[in-house]
Amino acid sequence: MTGGTDDLRAAIALYVAIGLQAAPFMIPQLGTVILGRPLSDDEVQEALRPLIEQTVRFIEERLAEQG
């Protein structure tokens, strides 16, 4: 990419916005490819739930520290 810092920031913002918009559609397919089974599989859900809960707790703690 050519251009200055503002151009780079704009490109990154666009990239993130597109990625966030596409994530709900991409993540299930990506999970199925990587795991070899759908994310809706009970065993997969059981394994993912603690990781998701831990991530949410971490984010909540960091936000509480800042607020």
Side-chain angles (χ1 to χ4, degrees):
M1 172 171 181
T2 60
T5 302
D6 289 339
D7 289 343
L8 180 58
R9 286 185 181 154
I12 290 171
L14 183 60
Y15 175 75
V16 169
I18 292 169
L20 289 173
Q21 184 66 27
F25 305 102
M26 284 184 339
I27 297 302
Q29 286 82 8
L30 184 59
T32 299
V33 169
I34 292 171
L35 301 173
R37 59 176 85 176
L39 293 178
S40 60
D41 181 89
D42 289 339
E43 189 177 353
V44 172
Q45 289 288 314
E46 186 178 323
L48 283 175
R49 187 167 285 109
L51 297 172
I52 293 169
E53 290 171 353
Q54 180 181 2
T55 301
V56 169
R57 276 194 306 276
F58 176 81
I59 292 169
E60 289 175 338
E61 290 168 3
R62 296 300 86 73
L63 289 173
E65 290 173 2
Q66 293 177 6

